[in-house]
Amino acid sequence: MIFPVAGIEVAPWIPPLVAFVVSFFTSMGGVSGAFLLLPFQMSFLGYTNPSVSATNQLFNIVAIPSGVYRYCREGRMAWPLTWVIVIGTLPGVLLGALIRVNYLPDPRHFKLFAAGVLLYIGGKMLRDLLKRRPEKGNVPDSEKTFRERVSRSRLVPGVKEVSVKGDLPLLAATRFDLKYVGYSFNGGIFEIPFWGILFLSLLVGIVGGVYGIGGGAIIAPFLVSFFRLPVYSVAGAALMGTFVTSVAGVAFYQAIAPFYPKMSVAPDWLLGLLFGLGGMAGMYLGARCQKFVPAKHIKWMLAGVMMFTALKYVVDSLG
């Protein structure tokens, strides 16, 4: 099948299959999988035009709602955190789109940029995972008790969800002002500086707009590694933030396309939809299965795929 916007030819079953597999695993960490689909499109499909970033964000728009729905259904959406992420990343993703088109149209330069971002985040996660001293604070406690709660619910006949009717909400907002954003999760209270997360979200939005990932692949590891939030509580917020910023990103790429008639800027809608359909199924199943996977395994997975992708970009750029 030929995709004229992308300038490639590929069997129509390959994009949804690849997106399904990638999204199933990455959605457990609050990541849509777009940051892995982009190197697949560039390295394996040969799709290197700037429009690949917009196509990647189109995938997010189609795939993410199923995962967000699942996290909402299980009572694991940190809405105050979600809205701060959205407010910060929206202007950043628009700036990132302009940077991508004007300053990083060359695939080699773009790959080096992406590699630097992924190496930094992946390296930080690996360093935290390899620390031998025991972690302090309520993050590991909340993650541990959450897993214990899931295990107990599986032993009770007729209980299908983590949240048991009559219990306190699994995740609830506790504070939302110009100083701190806070929520409770499974007995632990977590508060992060409002302006800190807002400024970080702006930077993440710029990087995500350039990369074409909406920012979820960057913000989720930051929330876990730098702000020390439980991975079980941030996945839904990171996905929702990625969805909203991806909508803005696709609309912006489409709007500026007429100003760059000699360059492929607008998304390849058919290719993006095919990726999105596979991602929709994978993301729903990944969100459903996340609670059964130990938090440390999810963090190792996120760090591993980021480091592998970054090193591959460096090799491709220098080769």
Side-chain angles (χ1 to χ4, degrees):
M1 187 173 184
I2 298 176
F3 297 88
V5 176
I8 61 172
E9 183 176 358
V10 63
W13 57 269
I14 292 180
L17 177 62
V18 172
F20 172 83
V21 174
V22 169
S23 297
F24 173 76
F25 291 102
T26 58
S27 61
M28 295 183 188
V31 181
S32 69
F35 77 108
L36 289 178
L37 288 181
L38 188 130
F40 172 78
Q41 293 178 76
M42 295 182 71
S43 300
F44 292 94
L45 300 184
Y47 185 6
T48 58
N49 298 325
S51 61
V52 70
S53 296
T55 303
N56 228 32
Q57 291 181 335
L58 176 59
F59 153 79
N60 284 335
I61 295 174
V62 179
I64 286 177
S66 64
V68 170
Y69 164 76
R70 188 66 208 181
Y71 285 120
C72 288
R73 185 176 176 182
E74 294 185 6
R76 288 194 286 140
M77 280 295 296
W79 288 111
L81 180 62
T82 301
W83 298 130
V84 177
I85 291 173
V86 169
I87 293 170
T89 52
L90 267 177
V93 78
L94 303 183
L95 290 173
L98 289 174
I99 294 172
R100 171 71 165 108
V101 172
N102 290 295
Y103 301 106
L104 292 170
D106 188 321
R108 293 183 64 184
H109 296 162
F110 178 62
K111 285 183 177 181
L112 281 176
F113 166 81
V117 173
L118 294 176
L119 279 173
Y120 176 73
I121 302 170
K124 176 67 170 66
M125 291 199 75
L126 283 176
R127 188 181 68 181
D128 292 344
L129 287 166
L130 291 172
K131 285 180 179 177
R132 293 187 178 272
R133 64 176 183 271
E135 294 180 289
K136 296 180 180 180
N138 55 2
V139 177
D141 293 338
S142 292
E143 292 177 341
K144 180 181 178 181
T145 55
F146 175 75
R147 288 271 300 141
E148 291 173 349
R149 183 178 181 180
V150 171
S151 298
R152 287 196 302 270
S153 70
R154 296 177 72 183
L155 298 176
V156 178
V159 177
K160 297 181 179 179
E161 302 293 338
V162 174
S163 298
V164 181
K165 190 174 181 180
D167 284 358
L168 291 174
L170 187 62
L171 194 155
T174 58
R175 184 172 181 178
F176 188 35
D177 53 46
L178 294 180
K179 287 187 176 181
Y180 289 97
V181 175
Y183 62 87
S184 63
F185 174 69
N186 210 49
I189 302 294
F190 303 89
E191 292 188 350
I192 52 178
F194 175 88
W195 293 106
I197 192 65
L198 187 71
F199 181 68
L200 172 64
S201 298
L202 176 63
L203 295 179
V204 165
I206 294 174
V207 175
V210 173
Y211 196 12
I213 56 177
I218 305 171
I219 196 71
F222 257 100
L223 293 174
V224 173
S225 294
F226 288 85
F227 289 99
R228 303 206 26 87
L229 300 178
V231 68
Y232 294 122
S233 71
V234 303
L239 284 177
M240 186 62 180
T242 300
F243 172 75
V244 175
T245 53
S246 293
V247 171
V250 169
F252 193 65
Y253 272 108
Q254 187 69 50
I256 66 175
F259 298 99
Y260 301 89
K262 296 182 180 180
M263 188 183 302
S264 177
V265 174
D268 188 312
W269 288 88
L270 180 57
L271 183 61
L273 288 173
L274 286 176
F275 275 117
L277 290 174
M280 181 189 300
M283 208 163 295
Y284 179 84
L285 291 176
R288 185 182 181 90
C289 296
Q290 187 228 35
K291 56 184 175 287
F292 304 116
V293 181
K296 194 169 185 178
H297 293 177
I298 298 174
K299 296 172 186 177
W300 272 109
M301 176 195 66
L302 284 174
V305 293
M306 278 188 283
M307 296 299 288
F308 174 80
T309 304
L311 293 174
K312 189 178 188 311
Y313 272 171
V314 172
V315 172
D316 289 347
S317 299
L318 301 178

